[in-house]
Amino acid sequence: MHVKESSRGLPEVATRIARQPRRGRGFCSSRMLNRLLIALGLFGIAPGLVAPAAAQSPRRPNIVIIIADDMGFADMGSYGSEIKTPNLDALAKEGVRFTTFYTHATCSVTRSILLSGVDSHLNGLGNMDEWTAPNQMGVDGYEGVLNDRVVTLPQLLKDAGYHTYMVGKWHLGKQPSHIPAARGFERDFALLDGMGSYWDMTNFSAASPRSVYTEDGRYLRQLPDDYYATTTYTDKMIKFIDENHGDGKPFFAYVCHQAPHEPYHLPKEWRDRHVGKYDRGWDALRQERLKRQIELGIMPPGTQLAERMWFVPDASLLAPAARAVLGKKMEIYAGLVENLDFHVGRLIEHLKNIGEYENTVFIVFGDNGAEGNDLYKLITGSSGSRDFLFAAANWSETHPNAWGDPGSWLAYGPMWAQVSMTPFSQYKGLVAEGGIRNALIVSGPVVNRPKGSINQQGLMHVADIKPTLLEIAGTSYPETYAGKETLPTYGKSWGAVLAGQAESPRTDQDVLGWEIFGNRAVRQGNWKLRWQIRPLGTGEWELFDLAADPGEMHDLAAGRPEKVQEMLALWEVYAQQNNVILPNRTVFESSEKDLPRRVPVQAGYPPANLKQQFVPPADMLADPK
């Protein structure tokens, strides 16, 4: 075990616990300290801190990470949604919610950072495997898989005495040396692909027609009977936990749900829970969600919505039938999120039944912004192509009444993605706030903040999860592992924040950087500098003050050229230190041709479309003479 020593000779986490007051279920309780010291073999080193009776409770907390694939910032009830998520909301009420938590802009990239603690351009996911540019191929850091130069979180937790379990989407490599069992998970049931059917092994392209799954390190020939992704993942995780329950070891459960990623597949009984609710359109829903966010304290009073994407129509101008069809897409998405919440509730209830809930840390978030891109079009290509014909044969259930069935492909589009990302700008794949900012819930015995509290000051990042969990487990990140020098991590532990001793793990001088598909950004304090490919961006560096303008509505670059240069210098340092190679081909390269010219979207413009029928005064009406 790799244990970082503090100046007092105790592990760093134990030292922090000892300094805290005894309050409730917090990270600071003497009971938790006793458990931790005993589990680390350090009982007796600091007898003044430990009550003798504590020798009977040596257990460290269990850890459960729940990732919702492509779920947006505003999709849980506790973040302002009308979608019913009582089980996720219950975790929020028990713990703390954060409003400034960053992931990366796509799924595999975020997962690579979470598990490695290393920037994606170094850990192998400098670009998504599916979109590696020609000039990035063969370059270290751009392997398209989690490379062998990093040591993973489950490897270190396993070495520290944790059981390590994984279910759901992996998306970090398929070769035997890259699968979950090879990267530290002792039990797994994993979809290795980035997406696919929730019902069977149908994958998304002719070149790769079958999704690949592993179970406990073996590749599956077929899926279990009555397979449905969200149900089966939950069943498997409960089984893993039960089979080792009672052996005295804590567990790390990595629960990576497919839901609510497209294609939206859902049992029939979950599809009609919101009939007609979304017919009024996306603009109305965004306003309603923002109003609830302000009432809850998720967003500050006066927050303004980011503008609607210019190529998305004003829903009030659509015919009722069109609004109903588009609304049905959001109905099914909402059902998918509610079904996910139901199965999260099953896992929570099971942990309560076996006496593990009170000693379990939960971390819940979405892996990137909501999906507003047309993946189906990107995959199938033009009419008559190989993949177009594959889709026609395998994803042919196109009638709205069949949406959710096997063989259907449904996604809700950019209009609803912006609803999911209320109040932010844009969505997945982009480095606007709507692509990289998400909800974060943390609850459990390490949280010593008021129950149900909301933290708006903490600048949190997915890279922070690894050092936080290593600290909770009483171990640390090694300088070498298996005879190799490890790559540097860049996350900051949340220990002091969760303990109520600090509001943020970062100062205003700390820097965060992003790059994917050539889109790039850097943040320091409240300042953010971003560059995005045209027309989704301006093709120029844009500057935003996120404290005053979280929707990134007002580009300050022209008026603050000195700040642009200051932030640009920070970006260049980040890019150099992290092996950033800007791609010469990107998934968005045809956007300027495919999308209409970018124009501002302002309420009430153009008035010609909104003018109502003029009705003359009744006393001035007359028939023709």
Side-chain angles (χ1 to χ4, degrees), residues 29 47-48 58 81 91 115 169 175 262 308 317 441 492 529 603:
S29 71
S81 180
L91 291 178
L115 292 177
K169 174 174 148 179
Q175 294 295 329
E262 65 179 276
R308 175 175 17 98
L317 301 180
I441 296 170
K492 306 276 189 177
L529 188 72

Side-chain angles (χ1 to χ4, degrees), residues 112-192:
S112 75
I113 297 170
L114 188 161
L115 292 177
S116 71
V118 174
D119 189 87
S120 57
H121 301 88
L122 298 172
N123 70 32
L125 271 295
N127 202 342
M128 294 184 73
D129 177 51
E130 296 86 348
W131 304 106
T132 306
N135 67 321
Q136 297 168 335
M137 293 179 180
V139 178
D140 287 348
Y142 294 80
E143 295 90 344
V145 299
L146 194 61
N147 64 35
D148 61 4
R149 295 187 298 144
V150 299
V151 54
T152 68
L153 175 61
Q155 285 175 306
L156 296 176
L157 290 178
K158 189 176 182 180
D159 291 348
Y162 273 71
H163 288 299
T164 54
Y165 311 135
M166 186 262 173
V167 295
K169 174 174 148 179
W170 178 243
H171 204 191
L172 293 172
K174 298 180 183 179
Q175 294 295 329
S177 59
H178 300 148
I179 61 179
R183 305 314 303 261
F185 288 104
E186 64 180 270
R187 302 294 305 274
D188 75 273
F189 185 92
L191 167 66
L192 303 187

Side-chain angles (χ1 to χ4, degrees), residues 150-452:
V150 299
V151 54
T152 68
L153 175 61
Q155 285 175 306
L156 296 176
L157 290 178
K158 189 176 182 180
D159 291 348
Y162 273 71
H163 288 299
T164 54
Y165 311 135
M166 186 262 173
V167 295
K169 174 174 148 179
W170 178 243
H171 204 191
L172 293 172
K174 298 180 183 179
Q175 294 295 329
S177 59
H178 300 148
I179 61 179
R183 305 314 303 261
F185 288 104
E186 64 180 270
R187 302 294 305 274
D188 75 273
F189 185 92
L191 167 66
L192 303 187
D193 293 273
M195 61 179 172
S197 174
Y198 287 54
W199 300 107
D200 53 43
M201 285 181 145
T202 306
N203 205 351
F204 53 83
S205 73
S208 182
R210 278 171 58 88
S211 296
V212 183
Y213 291 79
T214 59
E215 185 168 22
D216 295 340
R218 308 292 291 182
Y219 296 89
L220 293 181
R221 295 186 182 93
Q222 61 187 25
L223 292 172
D225 294 339
D226 300 322
Y227 175 81
Y228 175 70
T230 316
T231 304
T232 303
Y233 296 155
T234 307
D235 291 344
K236 292 290 184 180
M237 183 54 75
I238 289 172
K239 183 172 182 287
F240 295 163
I241 292 170
D242 280 355
E243 288 183 353
N244 288 318
H245 185 238
D247 67 0
K249 293 177 67 173
F251 62 81
F252 167 53
Y254 183 52
V255 185
C256 301
H257 281 291
Q258 223 171 314
H261 196 294
E262 65 179 276
Y264 302 159
H265 287 167
L266 190 63
K268 291 183 184 296
E269 62 269 24
W270 288 87
R271 299 180 198 172
D272 298 327
R273 298 160 67 92
H274 296 277
V275 174
K277 180 178 289 186
Y278 298 106
D279 292 5
R280 60 190 182 279
W282 33 92
D283 291 331
L285 262 293
R286 290 177 75 208
Q287 292 286 355
E288 291 169 12
R289 287 195 181 187
L290 176 58
K291 182 175 183 291
R292 281 191 293 270
Q293 288 175 337
I294 293 172
E295 291 170 350
L296 288 169
I298 295 296
M299 299 306 295
T303 299
Q304 299 296 308
L305 282 173
E307 67 179 0
R308 175 175 17 98
M309 301 294 277
W310 73 98
F311 52 85
V312 171
D314 182 339
S316 68
L317 301 180
L318 298 178
R323 287 205 307 273
V325 171
L326 294 173
K328 187 177 179 66
K329 293 184 177 186
M330 186 63 189
E331 291 172 22
I332 294 178
Y333 177 85
L336 196 56
V337 173
E338 292 184 354
N339 179 266
L340 167 66
D341 179 83
F342 169 78
H343 289 289
V344 168
R346 287 180 54 217
L347 177 60
I348 291 171
E349 187 63 25
H350 185 74
L351 294 178
K352 289 179 178 178
N353 291 339
I354 64 173
E356 296 291 347
Y357 174 78
E358 291 293 329
N359 194 42
T360 299
V361 176
F362 292 89
I363 299 177
V364 181
F365 61 95
D367 60 351
N368 43 243
E371 180 62 272
N373 302 290
D374 191 343
L375 294 184
Y376 188 83
K377 182 179 178 181
L378 287 172
I379 294 163
T380 59
S382 58
S383 178
S385 68
R386 179 197 63 182
D387 289 325
F388 186 91
L389 295 175
F390 176 86
N394 291 277
W395 303 104
S396 58
E397 298 295 330
T398 58
H399 193 281
N401 290 341
W403 286 348
D405 286 348
S408 65
W409 187 292
L410 177 65
Y412 64 179
M415 63 289 285
W416 297 118
Q418 283 202 275
V419 171
S420 289
M421 294 313 301
T422 303
F424 304 124
S425 174
Q426 303 186 340
Y427 39 70
K428 180 180 175 180
L430 303 165
V431 293
E433 295 293 279
I436 57 177
R437 190 156 159 181
N438 222 305
L440 170 67
I441 296 170
V442 183
S443 86
V446 300
V447 179
N448 195 36
R449 304 181 74 94
K451 288 187 176 183

Side-chain angles (χ1 to χ4, degrees), residues 468-485:
T468 302
L469 296 186
L470 293 180
E471 186 176 90
I472 288 169
T475 187
S476 62
Y477 187 70
E479 294 182 2
T480 62
Y481 191 85
K484 294 182 179 181
E485 188 173 323

Side-chain angles (χ1 to χ4, degrees), residues 79 96-100 297-298 449 453-460 497 502-505:
Y79 278 80
V96 57
R97 281 164 283 174
F98 295 91
T99 65
T100 312
I298 295 296
R449 304 181 74 94
S453 60
I454 296 170
N455 177 298
Q456 293 185 343
Q457 291 76 44
L459 185 56
M460 325 292 277
V497 176
E503 291 305 303
S504 177

Side-chain angles (χ1 to χ4, degrees), residues 13-82:
V13 65
T15 305
R16 176 173 290 147
I17 294 171
R19 292 172 179 164
Q20 297 170 13
R22 302 180 182 183
R23 287 189 290 164
R25 291 174 55 200
F27 202 30
C28 60
S29 71
S30 60
R31 183 180 179 189
M32 285 301 302
L33 173 60
N34 299 340
R35 289 178 174 180
L36 182 55
L37 293 175
I38 295 166
L40 294 174
L42 296 170
F43 187 78
I45 291 178
L49 299 176
V50 185
Q56 301 175 6
S57 303
R59 296 192 57 226
R60 291 168 288 172
N62 308 309
I63 299 162
V64 176
I65 294 178
I66 299 173
I67 299 179
D69 199 350
D70 291 358
M71 184 177 74
F73 177 87
D75 279 335
M76 291 185 284
S78 53
Y79 278 80
S81 180
E82 72 294 332

